[in-house]
Every structure is written in C-alpha cells, then in structure tokens.
Amino acid sequence: MRVIVEKDKDGVGRRAAQFVAALVRKRPNCVLGLATGSTPVGMYGELIRMHREEGLDFSRIVTFNLDEYVGLSSSHPQSYRYFMQQNLFDHINVDARDTHVPDGRALDFEAYCEQYERLIKEEGGIDLQVLGIGSDGHIAFNEPGSSLGSRTRLKTLTHETVRDNARFFGGEEEVPRLAITMGVGTILESRQCLLLASGASKAKAIRDTIEGPITAQVTASALQLHRDVIAVLDEEAARLLERRDYYLQVERAQSALQSGELGAPTEGS
Ligand code: PGA
C-alpha cells in the first residue's frame, strides 16, 4: 500500500483530486467509484474547481457510489444521492444517466443488489474507487464482521456508525439502521483504490488498516490484499503509524524516480 501523508484535511482533498483528475484526463471514459461522508468533500470541491477553471471534462465518465441508507428517497437531504448532487454532480458536466447511487427505496433488495453488481461489470468494472473509513475501520458500510468476500447487499449499521453519523441527522434516533452497500469483495475488484482519512478519530482505524492483521473486524484491512491502493492521510490520521518514516522514504524515492534524478535503471537492476 502506498501511504501519503499531507499536512491537513485540505491537503488530503487536493492530493486526492489530483489522482482522480489524472485518471479522467488519461481515460476520459473511466469508471469512478465514489464515496460520501465528510472526508471526500474537499476532494469534490477541488474537482469542481478544476472543471470550472481548467476545463476538466467529466462528460464521458461513469460513476458508482458505494452505499445508500435504506428508506431514504433521493430528495432526502441526508440521502447519499442528494449528497452527491450537492457536492459534485450538479457542478460538473457528468451525464446524469451515468451516475449510479444505490436506491435506498428499491422494492426487492436482493434483486436490486445483484443488478447493481451486474451494472458495474457491464460498464467494465471500476477503475478507481474512492474510499473513506469509519472510526470502526469500515469501508463503505461493511461493518466489523462483514465477510471479506461480500458483495453488494443490505447491512445493519453498528451503534458506532449510527453514533458517528447522528451529527448529520440531528440525533441518533433519526439515523436509518440499514444500508445498501457494495461488499468488500466488490471493492477489492476495483483496479485501484484511493483511501482517504483525516482527523484524530481515524488514527486507530488507519493504523489497524495499514499495519494490523487482515481481519473482518477491520474491513478496511482487506485492502492489504489489493495490488494498487493509495492511502492519502493527514498528520492526525497518520499519527499512530509506526512505519511512518519508511512511507516518507518511499515517497521520496518515487519522486526521485519520476524526476529522473536516479538516472535510467541499469540492466538487471
Ligand atoms: P466520514 O465517514 O468521512 O464522514 O468520516 C467515513 C465513513 O464512515 O466511511
């Protein structure tokens, strides 16, 4: 896993946006996996700026969101569809028909979840999946104990997640108890993952994810099995990482390699 530590939350947003923008420029018809929550808001803001000021073109991208609360309509201010419209889709030139957020009011959830998986496959799979992380180490709504091979399905939220998200709903009582979520297995099939975290409340989950054992108790730790994950963290979220200095060395070596400072690799090296 590549680990990048930025000074603060704004730095995480800017750096993450650079990775997304680079892919959109290289492959204008790429498939992006998107996340909600407070963490990626800065990244979306930066992408909107790039669209307005630099002409970053989203007209051919396809998007799939990770999850949605069960029972909320797309017009509910706390639904993830509403979040995506407000924080990204309404401000860029993406084709609305190519944006997919699970439907929290589907009639037959089992059939709907299978269809969501099928649609991702039909679009050629996800090129880059953006991920936040819960304080309990979840990715998407794959709560502790979720199978690491899980697919899109319904999930009961843990008390920790309900408590963390109560701030958006004005109280725990208002938070839906069920969500529809891509599975860990679905996420692991993305070609690349971009894991974002900021703030001290994520420090333990980040340490467990990057340096702990792979376990269903911290579903983000399954990312250790993926061949191409970039974690972009701020100082506070990276605070408990023991191998921090090594990650920094790796980044320095990477940029030396890219700038040609190290010279061309010799044969057999
Ligand atoms: P947050 O949520 O970005 O609002 O902290 C992340 C998550 O629960 O996945």
Side-chain angles (χ1 to χ4, degrees), residues 48-254:
I48 294 167
R49 188 197 65 73
M50 288 172 164
H51 170 65
R52 288 188 181 146
E53 295 175 14
E54 298 167 15
L56 186 61
D57 180 17
F58 294 97
S59 62
R60 292 173 60 203
I61 66 161
V62 174
T63 71
F64 286 93
N65 263 77
L66 289 168
D67 44 18
E68 179 61 284
Y69 290 111
V70 164
L72 300 195
S73 70
S74 55
S75 60
H76 189 290
Q78 294 311 329
S79 76
Y80 285 166
R81 164 55 79 175
Y82 189 89
F83 175 101
M84 290 309 300
Q85 295 300 140
Q86 296 289 312
N87 287 284
L88 184 67
F89 298 153
D90 286 349
H91 310 285
I92 59 172
N93 63 335
V94 65
D95 186 330
R97 290 166 301 185
D98 289 329
T99 66
H100 307 280
V101 180
D103 181 359
R105 303 229 294 185
L107 291 178
D108 177 345
F109 281 108
E110 209 173 302
Y112 180 80
C113 291
E114 273 175 31
Q115 188 200 329
Y116 201 71
E117 290 272 336
R118 220 170 21 245
L119 209 54
I120 294 173
K121 286 213 170 71
E122 279 168 17
E123 292 291 350
I126 292 170
D127 292 306
L128 174 67
Q129 177 66 61
V130 177
L131 297 162
I133 184 168
S135 59
D136 63 2
H138 70 212
I139 39 173
F141 273 134
N142 293 290
E143 300 288 33
S146 294
S147 156
L148 300 186
S150 52
R151 315 299 309 189
T152 303
R153 70 209 182 292
L154 289 188
K155 195 74 202 165
T156 305
L157 306 187
T158 60
H159 181 246
E160 196 168 352
T161 298
V162 170
R163 195 196 54 206
D164 285 352
N165 292 355
R167 67 191 194 277
F168 301 115
F169 286 84
E172 283 186 22
E173 286 316 303
E174 305 302 316
V175 184
R177 273 13 187 204
L178 281 176
I180 180 167
T181 179
M182 274 188 210
V184 181
T186 321
I187 292 167
L188 290 179
E189 279 175 12
S190 320
R191 289 182 190 92
Q192 188 175 48
C193 294
L194 193 57
L195 175 68
L196 312 182
S198 57
S201 65
K202 303 294 172 68
K204 185 176 178 308
I206 282 296
R207 184 195 55 200
D208 291 349
T209 295
I210 297 175
E211 296 179 342
I214 297 171
T215 166
Q217 300 313 312
V218 179
T219 52
S221 67
L223 294 171
Q224 292 178 34
L225 293 167
H226 194 287
R227 64 184 288 186
D228 194 353
V229 178
I230 304 171
V232 185
L233 318 171
D234 73 355
E235 293 278 355
E236 288 191 334
R239 192 167 51 97
L240 298 177
L241 290 175
E242 282 179 17
R243 309 187 69 215
R244 178 87 198 264
D245 290 346
Y246 176 68
Y247 309 136
L248 197 63
Q249 276 178 40
V250 172
E251 284 312 297
R252 287 205 184 110
Q254 282 255 359

